Amino acid sequence: MSFKFHSFNKADRYQNYADWPEDYVTALNELADQSPWRNHFHLEPKTGLINDPNGFSYINGEWQLFYQYYPFGPVHGLKSWYRVTSKDLIHWEEKGLGLLPDSALDTHGAYSGSATADGDKLRLFYTGNVRDENWVRHPKQNTVTLDPETGALGQKELIIDEIDQATDHFRDPMYFTAHGKSWLVIGGQRKADERGTLYLYQAAPSNLNQWTYHSELAIPQADSAYMFECPNINQVDGKVFVTFCPQGIDQDQLTYQNIYPNAYLVADAFTAEGKLENPGQLHNLDYGFDVYASQLINAPDGRVLGVSWLGLPEIDYPTDQYGYQGALSLVKEFRIQDGHLYQYPVEETLALRQAPQVLFDHIEMDQNNYEYAFEVAANKQATIQLYADADKKHFVTLSIDTIDGKIKLDRSEMGTIFAEDFGTSRTLDLAGQEKVTVNVFADTSVLEIFVNDGAYVMSSRIFTPSNQHTHIFADGTDNNLVYPMQK
């Protein structure tokens, strides 16, 4: 390829958006057009890098979603928020850049945060990344209103400055309500011992731009982690659950295989005093290769809905060579049953299904954009090969053993290998000798697997050598139906 990326040194990464040459942007778009890995029904950037979903909310009959965005290459640089909207959670309309780092409160990036309806405006909460002349970071927790009709922003305001309790790792304000009050939970690193923790703030009555420190919300189950990112506190089915990303957590507190995990725990309640009542064990939110920074909301219709970043910090992806990186998961509904957190694509996703095709032991699809539903009976072993070529030279293997209660996802034969330092397979344990139901949502380069109606999830990026890898082979499965998915 004749296209040459910039060096992406510090000066490149933090260059003002308006200063990028037009011919570079044009060439970057032309390069991105050549990618063989564009998805059909998952959000991803045209160019540049997306990571954390931000500002997921609902106002005036429309869902609002933003994501962290750097437009000029597949690297982390001067971050903005990109905005998309939807009537149905599956068809998204691009609205363009929604929040730019253009003030003294966010000189080096508009980092992650949340949103809520505030009258007829959408109120955003986010971390402004500010660095001084010595490159020391000074995190600012900011708020700004957005007109959902025009996208126009109000005046940015600082609501929480640096605090004595935390290091400069203090970010990702997530809005929620409990006990008739408005709260923010913010991820952080405790200054005293440089361990991860959460900080709680409470708003003044009917005034979402005035916040007061309430308390620290420690999570003893993850106290070996050095930082908690992307926290959420949600209530559903009479319980409360906390999701967050405990960076650096010891394996004896959480067994995980990715560079950083996305985790959750369930508690009986979030008390008026800002404490978790009877918090349970820490679990992985996802058992696949590529999930991080999930954002969950208590939606106005009573559901808890969430979106995940299908990517990980500090990992290079094959799409980098085409000038872009990152994707978002399907919107999922979260519920709690018997103390366990379930997650599954929202029912609106059914609208993407086309007429089903029966799979016996092999089927060739027109392209990789389908839902594949099947069962594996008790005391049985099954092997499914997805993203396979006709002669099975390259494929992704899903192995299910209901004798021993094991599920393994292996992408070692995928054909385009990356992130090998963290292994080429992922495994989860189930109860043995029980029937398993599986729903696979396959897109060109995204694979989301939901086991037993979402009791366990394995989400991963998949990159095949060509568009000829559209075969499915199955052995040991029952009731196989494949639904092509069309937007």
Side-chain angles (χ1 to χ4, degrees), residues 245-375:
C245 299
Q247 292 189 330
I249 188 172
D250 290 347
Q251 291 282 336
D252 60 358
Q253 287 192 315
L254 181 70
T255 301
Y256 63 99
Q257 296 169 276
N258 296 335
I259 183 173
Y260 302 120
N262 205 156
Y264 80 91
L265 59 82
V266 178
D268 286 342
F270 176 79
T271 70
E273 292 74 35
K275 298 182 183 301
L276 295 175
E277 186 177 294
N278 298 324
Q281 183 180 348
L282 197 65
H283 300 278
N284 285 293
L285 188 68
D286 192 289
Y287 289 84
F289 291 88
D290 301 284
V291 155
Y292 196 76
S294 303
Q295 182 160 104
L296 286 66
I297 61 168
N298 275 89
D301 60 12
R303 294 182 291 180
V304 173
L305 304 178
V307 185
S308 302
W309 170 29
L310 298 178
L312 287 165
E314 302 170 38
I315 299 293
D316 296 327
Y317 284 83
T319 55
D320 291 2
Q321 64 186 292
Y322 294 100
Y324 74 99
Q325 183 189 125
L328 297 184
S329 73
L330 294 170
V331 179
K332 297 165 282 189
E333 180 178 359
F334 292 74
R335 58 188 176 85
I336 296 174
Q337 181 178 323
D338 299 326
H340 187 89
L341 186 63
Y342 286 70
Q343 50 183 310
Y344 197 80
V346 292
E347 61 181 356
E348 290 89 337
T349 310
L350 291 172
L352 300 179
R353 280 181 173 182
Q354 305 298 296
Q357 302 177 30
V358 177
L359 184 155
F360 294 99
D361 56 6
H362 166 252
I363 194 170
E364 181 181 5
M365 305 300 294
D366 291 336
Q367 51 195 357
N368 288 316
N369 60 321
Y370 56 82
E371 178 190 352
Y372 170 28
F374 63 91
E375 298 176 352

Side-chain angles (χ1 to χ4, degrees), residues 35-64:
S35 172
W37 294 309
R38 285 293 179 188
N39 289 295
H40 298 277
F41 56 95
H42 285 85
L43 286 168
E44 60 187 348
K46 173 63 186 297
T47 64
L49 180 141
I50 73 170
N51 52 307
D52 306 6
N54 292 156
F56 190 22
S57 51
Y58 184 82
I59 188 171
N60 299 344
E62 197 165 51
W63 299 98
Q64 307 282 327

Side-chain angles (χ1 to χ4, degrees), residues 180-253:
K181 299 182 182 298
S182 295
W183 302 74
L184 288 176
V185 57
I186 303 175
Q189 181 186 66
R190 194 184 297 111
K191 189 177 291 184
D193 59 6
E194 296 188 346
R195 296 297 181 185
T197 192
L198 302 176
Y199 296 101
L200 293 171
Y201 284 77
Q202 204 170 86
S206 304
N207 191 342
L208 294 182
N209 59 4
Q210 290 187 9
W211 293 83
T212 302
Y213 177 78
H214 185 276
S215 60
E216 180 181 332
L217 181 64
I219 307 291
Q221 296 90 331
D223 59 11
S224 63
Y226 60 76
M227 171 62 187
F228 292 172
E229 286 196 315
C230 307
N232 303 267
I233 297 177
N234 299 90
Q235 302 161 77
V236 67
D237 299 330
K239 299 283 187 178
V240 65
F241 60 100
V242 182
T243 53
F244 62 108
C245 299
Q247 292 189 330
I249 188 172
D250 290 347
Q251 291 282 336
D252 60 358
Q253 287 192 315

